[in-house]
Amino acid sequence: MRADYRGCFQPFLRPGERLIVASDYYENSALPSVPAQLRTPRTPPPPSALEQRVRGVLGNVLGKVSRPLEAMGGSRVTNNPLIRATDRAGDRVENAAIGLDHLADRAMERAIWGTVMDGGWHSIAGRLLVDLTNAGGEPQRQALTDQRLILLVNHNTSWRNPTPQWEFGAEVPRTHIVRMTAHSKTISRGRFDVAFADGSWIALGSVRRENMEGFVATWSRGF
């Protein structure tokens, strides 16, 4: 177990809880999107001091550019209802095209990965994905302890300081897990399927297949 994998989980362990194995986590893009009604609304973080300075400079520049354009605001072309309606229709078409692109990407991933989850949103697998989505950030670490399966998310979005900001993502008690199975397809990323006591299951994974195989082997040995 790599020291950086082990270290990021230490703050999240309960008193007396023992870390068994930890690794990277790769999110399977073929997993279904959590419905909007199950998502927790999130407030974006306040801008950093650097972002505020950059926005201030850009605002001044854009203000100088926009003033001549504002003088044209009363023109018949700018305020023409037909032009505005066309713009709105164009936005809807663009948004629809983006949505279709996402659906196409997801369909391609499903064709590669096959089925990646079974169970409703209130199943153990469904609640795991809901919790992980609502945690925000980027899921990047997974671990198995003597009590739980834990996933951590990285909330750091700074390009200047890449130090991870680890936050709790989701968990499942070990008593709810009945099986971990390495996926049979030989692909670069190591997928494994986790089956739960209620009959639901979900595909998890690592970037490197050997990491996944070590994770599953640890579970199989009963640690």
Side-chain angles (χ1 to χ4, degrees):
M1 189 190 329
R2 279 175 33 175
D4 57 330
Y5 291 162
R6 182 189 306 110
C8 66
F9 280 96
Q10 294 301 324
F12 301 95
L13 297 180
R14 299 166 178 163
E17 186 174 17
R18 184 165 57 95
L19 182 65
I20 306 299
V21 63
S23 78
D24 66 300
Y25 170 79
Y26 180 79
E27 186 174 28
N28 192 313
S29 57
L31 287 169
S33 296
V34 173
Q37 62 270 24
L38 296 179
R39 291 175 178 260
T40 301
R42 289 193 296 270
T43 302
S48 65
L50 175 63
E51 289 174 322
Q52 291 178 6
R53 290 198 298 271
V54 171
R55 289 179 181 179
V57 172
L58 290 177
N60 291 335
V61 173
L62 293 176
K64 293 176 181 178
V65 174
S66 65
R67 278 193 289 273
L69 297 176
E70 290 173 357
M72 301 173 58
S75 69
R76 287 180 296 175
V77 173
T78 305
N79 293 320
N80 188 297
L82 179 59
I83 297 295
R84 293 200 301 270
T86 302
D87 288 342
R88 289 194 297 270
D91 290 342
R92 288 195 294 270
V93 170
E94 182 178 1
N95 291 336
I98 293 173
L100 289 174
D101 285 342
H102 289 326
L103 289 174
D105 290 343
R106 196 175 296 276
M108 182 176 295
E109 291 288 344
R110 281 198 298 268
I112 296 172
W113 289 88
T115 305
V116 294
M117 177 177 163
D118 189 25
W121 290 113
H122 296 290
S123 68
I124 298 174
R127 292 198 303 271
L128 174 65
L129 187 54
V130 169
D131 290 345
L132 192 59
T133 300
N134 286 334
E138 185 73 20
Q140 291 181 350
R141 294 289 185 268
Q142 57 192 338
L144 190 65
T145 76
D146 58 347
Q147 301 177 22
R148 303 175 287 168
L149 168 68
I150 310 174
L151 288 90
L152 299 184
V153 296
N154 180 8
H155 277 196
N156 184 18
T157 58
S158 172
W159 54 271
R160 300 183 68 214
N161 181 9
T163 303
Q165 296 176 2
W166 299 114
E167 298 290 345
F168 184 81
E171 67 176 355
V172 176
R174 284 189 65 142
T175 54
H176 291 177
I177 302 171
V178 297
R179 186 171 60 256
M180 289 188 183
T181 308
H183 201 260
S184 58
K185 291 185 178 179
T186 306
I187 53 179
S188 59
R189 299 183 182 95
R191 167 182 168 177
F192 65 104
D193 300 336
V194 184
F196 302 110
D198 64 352
S200 65
W201 64 269
I202 191 170
L204 304 181
S206 297
V207 173
R208 299 177 65 85
R209 187 170 182 87
E210 52 265 37
N211 289 354
M212 173 274 290
E213 291 173 339
F215 202 94
V216 173
T218 299
W219 163 266
S220 299
R221 290 195 296 268
F223 288 103

